[in-house]
Every structure is written in C-alpha cells, then in structure tokens.
Amino acid sequence: MEVVIEAKDNAASSFQLQQSPPQAEPMWKIILVATIAAGVQFGWALQLSLLTPYVQLLGIPHAWAAIIWLCGPISGLLVQPIVGYYSDHCTSRFGRRRPFIGSGAGLVAVAVFLIGFAADLGHAAGDSLGKGPKPRAITVFVVGFWILDVANNMLQGPCRAFLADLSAENARKMSTANALFSFFMAVGNVLGYAAGSYTHLYKVFLFSKTKACDLYCANLKSCFFISVALLLTMTILALTLVRETATVAAPKQPTTVKKGKIPVFGELFGALKDLPRTMWILMLVTCLNWVAWFPFLLFDTDWMGKEVYGGNVGTKLYDQGVRAGALGLMINSIVLGFASLGVQFLARRPRQVKKLWGAVNFLLAVCLAMTVLITKLAERGRPSTGATESPLVGIKVGALALFAVLGIPLAVTYIIPFALASIFSSNFGSGQGLSLGVLNLAIVIPQMVVSVASGPWNQLFGGGNLPAFVLGAMAAAVSGILSLVMLPSPPDDVATKEAVGGFH
C-alpha cells in the first residue's frame, strides 16, 4: 500500500526526504509530546459539548448552527497539508515540528479570548442585551472559532508527525505513540467534559459573569481559561524538554514553481493521482467512518437537551440535558482512554486490524440507530402537555450507556487509520506531515459535507437530530462491510519486523 510518489528518472521527489537514519528516542519523550493532545482535546471537548447550544443562544438557528462547524473541516483541508508540508521541509534551528506546535498554541490563546468574550465585545459594539440575534457577538465568535480550528490543526498534524519522528521508523513505537496520543486525547476529553458539566466553575473566575454574559456564558468562558492554561503548560514542557535536530532535505533536481503557487497542493494532488488501490480503500473506509461520526459529534448534547430531555434552547430543561450530555461525553472519554490501550492488544496480528475496524463500525451503526429508540421512549414518558421535568431514570441511564459504548469505536477511529498512514509512509520514505495530510482529506471532506447538509437534511425530515443520526448509522454499516471485504491488512513484514508482537 504505497502513499508516496516515485520520482521519475531516479530524481528525489520532494515527497520523499533524504536524510541519515534517525535514532529512536526514549519513550518518556514520546509520552511528553503525546500529552499535548490532552490540552488540544480539552478545547475540542468544550467545542463539541457547549458551543452548539452557545451559538443558538447568540441567535443562530439550529438549522444553520452546523454551518459554523464548516471552519473545522475547511481549516483541516487547507491548514494540515500546508503545515505538514512545510514542517517536513522546515530547516529552523529549533527543529521541524516545534515552531509550528508553538505557534499553534499561541493562536489558541488568542482564539479562546475572542470566543470567551464574544458576548461582551458584541455588547460593547452595540448588541442588545435581550433575546434575539446578536450580530456583532456572532461575528466575533465566528472569527475566534475559525482561528481556534486553524490553530488546533496547526497543532495536531505536527504533533502526530513529531511522534513519528521520535519513533524513528520503528513500526511498533509508531503504533504505540498513536495509542498514547489517543489516550491523552481521552484524558483531555474527560477534563473538558467534566468542566463543561460543572455549572459553578464561573465562581473561580468572578470577573467572567457580566451584563452581556449570563451564567452559561460565564461558565463556558471559565472552561476555556482552564483549557488554554493546560495547553500552554503541556506545550511549554514538551517543547522545552524534547529537542529536535534541524533536518535538511537532500538536494534535488531544480523545479520551476510559479510565483504564488504553494507546492504542497501540487504534491498532494499528485499523491492522490498515483495512490494505489489499497490506499484508496483505506481512505474510503475512513471517509464513511467520519460521515457516521460527525453528526453525533456535532449534535450529541443538543440531542440530549431537545430529544431526550424535551427542552427548548434557553430553557432550564434544555440546559439540564446539555449538562447530562457533557457527563455522557466524559464517560465516553473514560471508555475511550481504556479502549485506546486495549486496541494495542487486540490488533497484535495484521489480519486482526480489518476485523477489529469492521466490528466496531457495526457497533457504531447499532449505537446510532439506538438514538431513535431512546428518543421515542423519552417522548412516551412525557405528559401530553409537554416536558416539565427531566426524563425517567431508565431513559437517562440508557442514554449515558450509549455514550459509554461509543467510546470503543471512537478509540479505533483515532488509532488505526493514523497508525497505518504513519507505518506505510515511513516504509516508502515519504514525509510524515504530508502523508498524514493525504489521509486527512478522507476526514475533513465528509465533515464538510455533513456540516453543510445536516441542517437542511434534518429539516427535510421534520427537524431534530435523528435524521442525521440515522444516515450516520447507514454510513457506519457500509464502512464496516468495506472494512471486512475490501480493506487490506498491513503487510506481514511491517507487522513482524520489530521484535515480537506484531502490529501494536
């Protein structure tokens, strides 16, 4: 399964870096760099659990709320390949990856300020304090949100590539590094969802509550303050203690690049053009996998507030549902952390990889379909006059159990595709940053489609979140079938060349 372009006439392709064989770094350095994922994911957890309700409080209709999330996929589509390419070729004395990781962390701090103070800045610029759209606050929020997603993409790509660099083409270490990255993502999720579900966190930052920023807004603001403090701490520790040696790409035949052109896109599209069939299958399975995941990741807490608890945006009952959803996501992340470590054991043999991915995709399909059953049971338990109190205990337990089970397929989604991409790009000598950018296309393109289509799709079938969840269930089932029938297994020589143990 090649993911590189073979250079013509024996010339070195810029997608293949020539350098002396690297030496594997100690595991403590890999762990320290992987902890950055906890800081990054803390912020992502807050976005996924709190920001969809927040943008609706600012006056953006539910049908258009998903459009706001387009910035994540678009920034992933553009930023990750560009940052990956230039980090592969960076000759800074500080190293290849560290300058991009440090810059990304600084941009996160700027973005968090804009998001947290969006309501205050909007009010200062002329927004009213009553209900209804707040256009100036929305503008500040959207700008901050786009900066945040750009910054997060600047961080995640180089972090994963840095881990691959530290693993020094050791397949076993690269797979372990990806599992550690996923584990610390789970740690960040737990912290983020725990913070989001605690309603009195704003009391730690008394200045957060203002005329324009109510209790919900103040709590969100306080959560982001803690998020950026954690990220900056982890980033500073990792970049201070884990050094890089400046890498210089081997001389290659001169090429003509038109002024204003970004060479990464030529290489990225060239890589897609020459991708072998096996890599296309991997990307297809990944694509369908994210078509299944993204609707739930967008609307999970909104589903809890509206469909399960029966509340409307801005009401006490809806807020209770959102907090219950944040609790469910925290439980999901705990399961994700343990499952991330378990994937290392279950995927020891090459042919177990496709079976594992296929099985968890079917599990994902069943879980997404179960949202319909839980919603219908919750509706039956409400009085005909409408919801006045939280749902029955059994409904709450069932919804939280659903969140917990979903942690298992999410762990596999966070590990196997990236581990395969790192291993194969290493075997064929391609740059880790750009290779992960190729795989990233299979993640961000379905996210863009879901972001644009989920709102109108839900409205077409009566509103709410269930239509997108059902479509996700079907995509997960197809992804599971393709995983078992068409997805190739890692070559035996890759899986067994590192001592005993195989693919782990």
Side-chain angles (χ1 to χ4, degrees):
M1 187 194 307
E2 294 184 346
V3 294
V4 299
I5 309 170
E6 294 296 337
K8 295 181 180 180
D9 301 324
N10 296 322
S13 167
S14 59
F15 198 50
Q16 296 174 302
L17 300 181
Q18 303 289 329
Q19 58 190 53
S20 58
Q23 297 295 320
E25 296 289 348
M27 185 57 69
W28 69 267
K29 291 187 177 182
I30 293 176
I31 293 174
L32 193 57
V33 172
T35 61
I36 296 176
V40 175
Q41 202 64 22
F42 193 119
W44 277 115
L46 295 176
Q47 290 186 58
L48 294 173
S49 62
L50 299 180
L51 286 191
T52 293
Y54 181 58
V55 297
Q56 294 181 68
L57 287 174
L58 292 179
I60 301 177
H62 176 271
W64 294 100
I67 302 296
I68 300 296
W69 290 88
L70 263 178
C71 57
I74 290 176
S75 64
L77 178 66
L78 299 176
V79 174
Q80 277 209 24
I82 293 174
V83 171
Y85 175 87
Y86 284 106
S87 70
D88 283 343
H89 295 77
C90 180
T91 57
S92 167
R93 64 188 180 90
F94 298 106
R96 291 195 296 173
R97 318 296 182 187
R98 293 164 75 240
F100 295 93
I101 295 173
S103 300
L107 281 177
V108 167
V110 173
V112 164
F113 172 81
L114 292 175
I115 292 174
F117 287 90
D120 299 301
L121 294 173
H123 175 60
D127 282 344
S128 64
L129 293 176
K131 294 183 178 180
K134 300 175 175 57
R136 296 167 184 84
I138 291 171
T139 300
V140 174
F141 170 83
V142 170
V143 171
F145 195 40
W146 277 74
I147 294 175
L148 182 61
D149 275 331
V150 167
N152 280 332
N153 278 293
M154 283 185 67
L155 278 166
Q156 290 205 61
C159 274
R160 285 190 182 272
F162 196 7
L163 290 172
D165 294 342
L166 295 173
S167 301
E169 302 184 7
N170 183 313
R172 183 175 183 178
K173 272 197 172 182
M174 277 193 287
S175 215
T176 300
N178 275 283
L180 287 170
F181 194 85
S182 179
F183 173 78
F184 283 108
M185 287 176 70
V187 172
N189 277 336
V190 171
L191 296 175
Y193 295 138
S197 63
Y198 183 60
T199 57
H200 300 292
L201 193 60
Y202 68 93
K203 294 181 179 179
V204 179
F205 304 94
L206 296 177
F207 62 88
S208 62
K209 186 178 182 298
T210 63
K211 289 182 179 180
C213 189
D214 61 10
L215 295 182
Y216 185 91
C217 170
N219 201 61
L220 174 67
K221 189 187 298 183
S222 302
C223 289
F224 271 113
F225 290 155
I226 297 173
S227 166
V228 74
L230 175 65
L231 174 61
L232 292 178
T233 300
M234 295 295 98
T235 302
I236 291 171
L237 283 175
L239 299 188
T240 301
L241 299 177
V242 183
R243 298 285 181 175
E244 279 189 286
T245 302
T247 304
V248 180
K252 57 184 179 182
Q253 292 183 349
T255 56
T256 301
V257 179
K258 293 182 179 180
K259 186 176 180 180
K261 295 286 186 179
I262 301 178
V264 59
F265 291 115
E267 299 203 13
L268 186 62
F269 295 139
L272 289 173
K273 179 181 178 182
D274 295 333
L275 277 182
R277 179 175 177 271
T278 50
M279 188 62 186
W280 278 112
I281 295 171
L282 173 61
M283 293 178 66
L284 178 60
V285 174
T286 303
C287 178
L288 289 170
N289 198 204
W290 278 99
V291 169
W293 270 117
F294 206 55
F296 189 80
L297 294 177
L298 276 180
F299 299 117
D300 42 22
T301 54
D302 189 65
W303 170 67
M304 286 289 286
K306 287 181 178 176
E307 276 89 350
V308 179
Y309 274 68
N312 296 315
V313 176
T315 64
K316 182 179 179 181
L317 199 59
Y318 178 82
D319 291 342
Q320 289 178 358
V322 170
R323 289 196 295 272
L327 175 61
L329 289 170
M330 184 180 69
I331 297 171
N332 171 276
S333 300
I334 294 173
V335 176
L336 169 64
F338 286 105
S340 297
L341 301 178
V343 169
Q344 292 292 94
F345 174 78
L346 294 175
R348 287 178 300 172
R349 297 178 181 177
R351 298 196 179 278
Q352 288 181 333
V353 175
K354 59 185 296 181
K355 293 179 180 179
L356 176 61
W357 204 358
V360 298
N361 276 328
F362 287 125
L363 179 60
L364 172 59
V366 171
C367 288
L368 291 176
M370 288 294 292
T371 60
V372 178
L373 176 61
I374 293 173
T375 298
K376 297 304 179 184
L377 291 175
E379 290 175 350
R380 289 182 182 180
R382 297 184 197 123
S384 58
T385 55
T388 56
E389 57 185 26
S390 59
L392 300 173
V393 175
I395 302 297
K396 296 179 185 177
V397 172
L400 293 177
L402 180 68
F403 277 90
V405 174
L406 281 170
I408 299 173
L410 191 59
V412 174
T413 299
Y414 283 161
I415 294 174
I416 286 181
F418 297 101
L420 288 175
S422 292
I423 289 171
F424 287 115
S425 64
S426 174
N427 288 342
F428 292 102
S430 63
Q432 290 288 340
L434 190 57
S435 298
L436 292 174
V438 172
L439 179 66
N440 192 57
L441 294 176
I443 298 174
V444 299
I445 290 177
Q447 289 182 3
M448 292 172 63
V449 173
V450 171
S451 294
V452 172
S454 59
W457 176 264
N458 287 337
Q459 291 298 319
L460 181 64
F461 290 93
N465 298 299
L466 293 184
F469 291 175
V470 172
L471 182 63
M474 292 187 289
V478 175
S479 180
I481 294 171
L482 294 180
S483 299
L484 296 175
V485 176
M486 298 181 64
L487 183 68
S489 297
D492 292 335
D493 58 341
V494 172
T496 59
K497 71 178 182 181
E498 301 296 339
V500 181
F503 186 79
H504 62 104

